[in-house]
Structures are given as structure tokens and as C-alpha cells.
Amino acid sequence: MVDVTEAGELPDQSCLWRLKRFLISEFNTWSRLEAMKATGKQLPKVYVTRRIPPEGMKMLQESGICEIEQWDSDDPVPRAELLKKVSGIQGLYCLLTENINEEVLKAAGPSLKVVSTMSVGYDHLSLDALKKRGIRLGYTPDVLTEAVAELTVALLLATSRRLIEAVDEAKNGGWGTWKPLWMCGNGLTQSTVGILGLGRIGVAIAKRLKPFGVKKFLYTDIDRRPELAATISAEFVSLDVLAQQSDFITVCCALTPETQGICDKRLFSKMKNNAVFINTSRGAVVNQEDLYQALVNGQIAAAGLDVTVPEPLPVDHPLLKLKNCVILPHIASATVETRNAMAALAAKNLLAGLKGEALPKEVPL
Ligand SMILES: O=C(O)C(=O)CO
């Protein structure tokens, strides 16, 4: 006899097959744990490099399949401590602030099976070193797309409409009277927006900007992305054309050897004098010295950065002194829901890796 669902419909075969697979996997995990207990074997050790949002920690603790040690602080674990603590672990739960390289993997030793980073970016990990050792890597795409897009739009508007400068003027007595030529910025209506690196986040940004009256979206990337581009009617162009034609450029690419320093004086010199440059991806895609010169010399109008090199940017850094540069402390994904979702997805990746199952979101190495 076939059972029926609550809605009174027959469950389809794929649903039953997934349920069967889930039950088998749960049973296997349970029997593995029972066998470990019976033989007095220790549970696999996991090291969590920071205090993380509660959803993620709860998931790890309630799994019952690992012994967790954590650097229980909001500040990064000192390198020496990290190198000591990773010894003999099977799973590493890390953040984008930790450089997980040959040194760390060597210190961990051959037991390490899975590294799970609570971030969509994975430029802080040495992929070659992971691959060489057959260590799997989990990351957290998708769950932060909306939050990052939202913050990018907020940063773009704050930069182009000079919000931070204006708030300062209102507070410090610079607000004399209403003046026709004072605090004028650049509007989005009828503008051209260029996206450097079109992926999920670029599309989400474009969808949010469209209602502001943007006339045209351009994008550039190593390859054309016709399907994604079609969703926002974006036109593929070269980096030079993107620079020449855009009123706003928003950088959304991953940091790779190809994109490192791609936003340099060559690019800024081709941009319009009234253009606004926004970066919410990684600081190292920008040559900050070149950006500083472009802002000081009026080669471009303004820049909004959520990411810099280094992070934090020293408080005496020249970019922080410029009125036409808005700098945020890497908060693009910082909503409570998003950070919890990132923490939970990173936990799921880690647990799946410990069980030898497919990671929900795995970086192919
Ligand atoms: O997940 C990432 O890579 C981030 O930069 C967090 O905002």
C-alpha cells in the first residue's frame, strides 16, 4: 500500500527516493556513532575559529557527531593558537579573516577532512594546498546575496548623493542656508551602470537599481553570461568600454589572480569625471593608491568601499581623509538573518564533510 501526503496527494517517486536516502544516511551516522562509543573511540574533532551566530553553533552542538573546540571571542584567534589547536582535527570551521594555507594544513595533519568557511569568498584559503591533501571545502553562496545587494545600493546612494558629508555638515555648522550649488551629487535616473563581474550578487544589485530609473546596464567578465545577463537586460562589453560608458561602476567579482588590482589607474583614467565607483567584493581588486590619486585629481567623482586592504583600514589612511570617499567596515552581509543563515550553512557543510557526504555548497577543487 502507498501512503499519502497530508494534502492527500500521492508522493512522487523522487520524494520517496530522497526520504529513503535520508533515512539510510541517518542510520549510517547513528550506527557509526554507536560503534565508536562501543569501541571507546573518540568523536571527530572540530575547531571553530571564532564566536559565530547561534544558529551555526546550535547545529554543530546538536549534531552529536563531533567534539567541538572554539576560539570563543569576537576577535580573531592568534595565529600561534590556531596552529596549535588545529592539530589532529577532522573539521575546520573558519572565517574570511583566517589565512588557511599550507602552514595551517600541515599543522592540522592528515586527519583533516573538511574545511568550511562562513563566507562566499574563498580567496583566504589556499585551494592548491587543500586539493593536494584531498580536503573538501564548503562555502556559503546564495544566502548572503540579498543582504550584499541591499548594502551595495545603500553605499552607492550614500556615495553619489554625498550623505555622509551632508550629515557632517548638518552637525558641524557647515549648513548655512539653502544653496543652489551646494552638496550636489549624481542621480541614477537615465544613468548607465556597469557591473564588473556578473554573478548572483551583480544581478541582485541591478534588480534593485532598476526602479531608480537606470537606463542601461553593462557588464564585463572573463566570459559572457547570457542567461544571467538576460534577467537584467545587461549588455556584455570590454572593461575599457565599461569604464568609458558607465556613470556608476559596481565591483562584484571574486578576488582571483586575474582580478587582483584590476581597478587601477588605467581603469580610472578611462572613467567619466562624474562617475562613481563602488566596491563590495574584495579590497585587493583595487589599487588603492591609484584610486586615491583618481579621487584627489578629480578623475572620478567619488568612491564607496565596503572592503579595503588591509582590514581594518588604519584610521590615518589617506582614503579616510577624503570627503568623496565613503568607507564602510566590511558589513555588506551584516544582517542578523543573513549571518545566521551563513553560520548554519557553514555548519551543514562541515557536518556533511565529517560524515563523508556531499556538501550542500562545495567549492570544486
Ligand atoms: O562572505 C563573504 O565573502 C563576505 O565578504 C562577507 O560579507
Side-chain angles (χ1 to χ4, degrees):
M1 198 179 82
V2 182
D3 217 336
V4 292
T5 62
E6 269 182 60
E9 291 161 356
L10 290 175
D12 66 30
Q13 288 304 312
S14 70
C15 197
L16 287 174
W17 183 77
R18 277 204 305 274
L19 179 65
K20 186 175 155 198
R21 217 174 49 161
F22 171 75
L23 291 175
I24 290 172
S25 136
E26 287 299 294
F27 176 76
N28 286 343
T29 305
W30 174 81
S31 44
R32 233 184 350 252
L33 289 175
E34 288 304 302
M36 278 175 135
K37 277 186 213 154
T39 55
K41 260 197 187 166
Q42 279 197 328
L43 290 176
K45 282 193 204 151
V46 159
Y47 190 61
V48 181
T49 61
R50 194 82 63 89
R51 191 173 291 153
I52 57 168
E55 296 280 306
M57 208 54 201
K58 192 163 158 255
M59 213 169 258
L60 292 179
Q61 281 160 344
E62 288 179 358
S63 75
I65 66 159
C66 53
E67 197 184 294
I68 307 159
E69 202 171 347
Q70 181 186 27
W71 178 253
D72 191 14
S73 162
D74 289 329
D75 291 317
V77 55
R79 189 76 178 171
E81 177 77 2
L82 174 69
L83 293 175
K84 194 168 81 190
K85 292 294 184 185
V86 293
S87 172
I89 58 168
Q90 287 195 20
L92 177 63
Y93 186 119
C94 67
L95 306 186
L96 57 86
T97 42
E98 278 99 38
N99 178 12
I100 305 301
N101 59 4
E102 187 68 37
E103 183 186 35
V104 176
L105 301 184
K106 212 164 146 201
S111 56
L112 187 57
K113 301 268 171 301
V114 56
V115 173
S116 177
T117 180
M118 196 191 117
S119 61
V120 65
Y122 45 83
D123 47 279
H124 54 294
L125 297 122
S126 168
L127 303 188
D128 286 344
L130 288 168
K131 187 175 176 179
K132 193 172 77 186
R133 290 175 164 80
I135 298 170
R136 297 164 71 197
L137 173 61
Y139 73 136
T140 64
D142 302 328
V143 293
L144 45 62
T145 301
E146 313 302 326
V148 173
E150 182 176 278
L151 188 283
T152 305
V153 172
L155 179 58
L156 185 148
L157 290 170
T159 308
S160 60
R161 296 301 304 271
R162 303 170 65 177
L163 297 192
I164 311 301
E165 217 184 322
V167 169
D168 284 349
E169 294 291 345
K171 283 186 184 164
N172 68 21
W175 179 10
T177 179
W178 188 90
K179 296 174 226 145
L181 299 178
W182 191 59
M183 279 293 148
C184 294
N186 299 295
L188 277 159
T189 309
Q190 288 299 306
S191 67
T192 296
V193 172
I195 301 165
L196 202 170
L198 186 68
R200 298 168 294 255
I201 294 176
V203 167
I205 293 169
K207 286 186 173 163
R208 281 161 177 75
L209 289 179
K210 181 78 182 154
F212 284 92
V214 173
K215 189 176 68 189
K216 200 168 173 187
F217 288 104
L218 304 175
Y219 78 100
T220 196
D221 212 312
I222 19 177
D223 292 315
R224 286 168 196 259
R225 319 244 153 164
E227 275 161 33
L228 271 184
T231 63
I232 52 165
S233 307
E235 185 188 329
F236 179 82
V237 291
S238 67
L239 184 59
D240 283 358
V241 171
L242 189 96
Q244 285 153 0
Q245 295 190 0
S246 301
D247 301 301
F248 298 86
I249 288 187
T250 178
V251 182
C252 305
C253 60
L255 174 62
T256 63
E258 292 76 35
T259 61
Q260 172 121 21
I262 196 171
C263 302
D264 59 3
K265 58 170 165 262
R266 216 186 131 267
L267 179 89
F268 297 129
S269 70
K270 292 194 162 59
M271 285 171 66
K272 297 181 184 181
N273 294 147
N274 64 348
V276 173
F277 176 84
I278 303 296
N279 184 15
T280 50
S281 68
R282 283 291 182 266
V285 300
V286 178
N287 180 319
Q288 288 178 177
E289 177 55 31
D290 290 355
L291 175 63
Y292 177 81
Q293 292 303 334
L295 289 167
V296 168
N297 299 333
Q299 217 151 35
I300 66 172
L305 312 174
D306 182 48
V307 284
T308 58
V309 178
E311 292 184 4
L313 197 62
V315 289
D316 60 352
H317 193 281
L319 281 172
L320 283 166
K321 308 259 183 294
L322 299 181
K323 286 191 172 175
N324 57 348
C325 189
V326 176
I327 299 191
L328 300 178
H330 202 151
I331 56 162
S333 64
T335 70
V336 176
E337 303 77 16
T338 301
R339 288 287 165 82
N340 263 315
M342 290 167 72
L345 178 52
K348 281 186 198 155
N349 282 334
L350 190 87
L351 294 171
L354 292 178
K355 292 190 226 166
E357 294 169 0
L359 312 195
K361 294 289 174 184
E362 182 161 358
V363 179
L365 296 175

